[in-house]
Amino acid sequence: MRKQHVITISGAGSARVPALVGTLVNYKERFPLSKIIFYDIDKERMGLMEAYDRLVLKSYYPECEVVFTTDEDEAYRAVDFIFCQMRVGKTTMRSLDEKIPLRYGLVGQETCGPGGFAYGMRSLGAMKQMVEKVRSYSKDTWILNYTNPAAIVALGLDKLFPDDKRILNLCDQPFSLMKSYAKILGVPQESLRARYFGLNHFGWFTELKDTEGNDYFDPLRSYLKNHDFKPFNAEQRSKSWLDTYVRVNKYMKLMDEYIPTTYMQYYMFPDEIVAESDPDYTRADESRDSREREVFELCARAVGKDHMEGLEMLTNSVFGNLMVEVAESIAYDLNNEFIVMVKNRGIIDNFEPEAIVEVAGTIGRDGARGYPFGTIKPYYKGLMEGQYAYELLTVESFLEKDYTKALMALTLNRTVVDPSKAKAVLDDLMAANKDYWTLGKVDYGSLFKTYNS
């Protein structure tokens, strides 16, 4: 019997949590728990799912103690792992992150471009507070962070807590892509091993083999050049999410050396994406009206019930599987292979040593270790240097409350480029986020002409 653990789900008001609970049930032999603490500052939203979460655990995991709380001391005082998935500002601010850039003809996306910048600034403040609270109790608690945008949050946490070796930043997109590749190829996902490099939401697969050495990269590359790419669970995805996959095919018709992460589309085809976007109804609205509504309706049916009859246990969660498998690999020092986010320091030998890169690697009791990649070619290096400069300036603008660096960051971002648009969208985002972050405002009238849409 493996040692049991205590975990806190921080951000338990997320509509992702019921499926995470199902994953914890399915993995209880692999990652056994004695206690789960559900924590959120929004008691009402968390309460929408409490009856369902309790019923699932009572029915399938009765040996596990369950606590729901809005008290951060209770949440963080004595736990082994924190599964952190904050959305600071909730759907309201996500909607503004997506809609404000579209006013200026810029990509409206929650992790890329100006929306990702604004979300990152909110997330950094909340994550700093959370880590400080956790560490006031224990230096040994593992913080598995899924808070977006992961690239900015990971770099910011590294700057704020450079000696903390128990913060691990995660992203399920490469994990999900591997699952999709396995379905296309007709092979088990667990048999596939990738070679990959980049920054989070900004990277490329360069090899794909199975554990017996069979090479699947060329067949996959050929397939993606000649077919629309669909995720493994396409029938469960909304149209806007499916749209994030189809441009892999377009990208690879132009440059097929490596297979890009789906998020590269925002940086490669921004004008096309803006033209297809509805400035009054974005993915925040679609998510609220589809996935979130379905989850909340299911959870509402659990109120007053003492059995699961007529209720399904949600389990199909790439996010949940990744989170639990990472925790398992740490807890029992399995050193399983994942695509990880780690400080570069020679992993990519011709790239900035202090950057947080995303590469194939392993995770064990000492955290994540990236496999050495070697040298990257000028095209990819140039793209990554620009994106890293954007990430670094974003973090520095947060830490220093520096308007100039924020403006520079957005101007560097491939979804913006035009400094006049960068200034206009920054000012709008700063006004919308005044309750979350501020910057020292300066007069740029002598340098930039205000952009009018």
Side-chain angles (χ1 to χ4, degrees):
M1 179 68 178
R2 287 178 162 180
K3 176 187 173 184
Q4 295 180 314
H5 297 278
V6 177
I7 71 166
T8 289
I9 300 173
S10 182
S14 168
R16 295 175 181 267
V17 168
L20 171 57
V21 170
T23 300
L24 291 168
V25 169
N26 287 342
Y27 281 69
K28 68 178 184 177
E29 300 300 324
R30 292 173 53 173
F31 185 64
L33 303 174
S34 60
K35 184 177 181 179
I36 303 174
I37 301 169
F38 294 80
Y39 167 70
D40 202 293
I41 61 173
D42 188 336
K43 183 178 181 179
E44 181 179 357
R45 185 178 169 91
M46 181 169 62
L48 294 174
M49 290 165 283
E50 181 173 351
Y52 176 87
D53 294 337
R54 285 189 181 276
L55 183 58
V56 169
L57 292 167
K58 175 186 174 183
S59 301
Y60 302 110
Y61 213 157
E63 65 272 28
C64 183
E65 181 184 353
V66 178
V67 173
F68 282 77
T69 184
T70 58
D71 181 346
E72 65 177 351
D73 293 300
E74 184 176 20
Y76 299 143
R77 186 164 42 234
V79 296
D80 301 307
F81 290 88
I82 295 167
F83 291 8
C84 181
Q85 47 165 359
M86 297 182 188
R87 183 180 286 283
V88 183
K90 297 180 283 190
T91 303
T92 299
M93 294 308 299
R94 175 184 175 178
S95 180
L96 291 173
D97 291 342
E98 294 172 352
K99 291 181 171 70
I100 289 174
L102 287 169
R103 296 175 189 169
Y104 299 98
L106 302 172
V107 167
Q109 210 278 334
E110 64 168 329
T111 65
C112 302
F117 168 88
Y119 188 11
M121 296 287 276
R122 295 196 305 274
S123 295
L124 284 170
M127 287 299 300
K128 176 178 183 292
Q129 180 180 347
M130 187 270 279
V131 173
E132 289 172 345
K133 174 59 73 172
V134 173
R135 291 298 176 243
S136 73
Y137 288 115
S138 171
K139 62 178 175 49
D140 296 323
T141 298
W142 278 96
I143 300 171
L144 306 186
N145 178 47
Y146 196 77
T147 299
N148 269 321
I152 291 170
V153 172
L155 186 61
L157 291 179
D158 182 66
K159 300 293 183 187
L160 288 163
F161 308 100
D163 300 321
D164 196 321
K165 306 305 180 187
R166 294 205 167 200
I167 302 174
L168 197 59
N169 297 282
L170 305 172
C171 178
D172 67 9
Q173 185 63 1
F175 190 83
S176 178
L177 289 174
M178 292 283 284
K179 201 170 182 68
S180 299
Y181 297 158
K183 184 175 181 179
I184 290 170
L185 296 165
V187 299
Q189 180 192 2
E190 57 271 17
S191 73
L192 292 177
R193 299 292 181 269
R195 193 164 185 256
Y196 177 95
F197 75 96
L199 305 166
N200 179 246
H201 286 186
F202 202 95
W204 298 264
F205 289 87
T206 68
E207 290 182 7
L208 191 68
K209 297 180 179 181
D210 67 12
T211 50
E212 296 181 357
N214 297 307
D215 194 334
Y216 288 98
F217 188 75
D218 283 341
L220 179 64
R221 180 168 55 177
S222 177
Y223 178 92
L224 293 175
K225 279 178 64 178
N226 296 295
H227 299 81
D228 285 347
F229 183 24
K230 295 181 180 180
F232 71 95
N233 56 352
E235 67 282 354
Q236 300 170 17
R237 296 295 188 99
S238 59
K239 180 184 182 302
S240 70
W241 187 255
L242 295 176
D243 288 345
T244 69
Y245 281 72
V246 296
R247 287 184 181 85
V248 169
N249 168 260
K250 179 173 181 176
Y251 176 100
M252 294 197 67
K253 285 182 182 296
L254 296 168
M255 290 174 283
D256 70 346
E257 182 177 28
Y258 300 146
I259 299 172
T261 178
T262 57
Y263 282 88
M264 287 303 300
Q265 70 154 345
Y266 296 107
Y267 301 101
M268 296 295 159
F269 311 111
D271 293 341
E272 183 178 312
I273 289 169
V274 169
E276 293 178 3
S277 299
D278 182 345
D280 299 314
Y281 193 86
T282 61
R283 284 182 62 186
D285 304 302
E286 186 179 67
S287 177
R288 179 199 62 218
D289 294 341
S290 55
R291 179 177 60 87
E292 284 192 12
R293 185 177 65 186
E294 291 166 4
V295 169
F296 291 150
E297 287 176 352
L298 171 65
C299 291
R301 301 207 314 268
V303 175
K305 289 196 172 187
D306 59 5
H307 54 78
M308 287 290 293
E309 185 177 350
L311 297 171
E312 65 173 311
M313 183 176 76
L314 298 175
T315 59
N316 190 13
S317 168
V318 175
F319 148 73
N321 288 2
L322 174 64
M323 194 74 97
V324 177
E325 289 181 23
V326 166
E328 176 196 26
S329 199
I330 292 171
Y332 310 110
D333 197 27
L334 302 180
N335 289 295
N336 288 336
E337 187 169 297
F338 300 88
I339 291 176
V340 298
M341 296 173 64
V342 291
K343 186 172 283 191
N344 185 30
R345 292 190 173 169
I347 291 173
I348 300 172
D349 57 30
N350 61 333
F351 194 63
E352 170 57 47
E354 297 303 299
I356 304 296
V357 296
E358 196 169 61
V359 292
T362 60
I363 295 176
R365 66 185 176 194
D366 295 322
R369 295 180 182 274
Y371 294 144
F373 188 88
T375 300
I376 57 176
K377 297 177 181 180
Y379 170 73
Y380 305 98
K381 184 173 185 286
L383 287 171
M384 286 175 59
E385 285 177 340
Q387 181 70 2
Y388 173 65
Y390 153 75
E391 294 170 2
L392 180 61
L393 284 166
T394 297
V395 169
E396 289 181 350
S397 72
F398 168 81
L399 295 175
E400 302 166 21
K401 299 186 184 301
D402 191 316
Y403 181 92
T404 306
K405 289 187 174 182
L407 184 59
M408 291 175 173
L410 287 173
T411 303
L412 272 171
N413 193 285
R414 280 182 60 91
T415 70
V416 182
V417 180
D418 183 332
S420 300
K421 289 187 178 184
K423 182 183 187 304
V425 77
L426 173 59
D427 288 348
D428 272 10
L429 288 170
M430 189 161 59
N433 284 271
K434 62 182 184 300
D435 294 333
Y436 299 95
W437 50 266
T438 59
L439 299 171
K441 190 72 164 61
V442 297
D443 180 11
Y444 277 83
S446 61
L447 295 177
F448 303 114
K449 183 162 51 177
T450 302
Y451 176 81
N452 294 310
S453 59

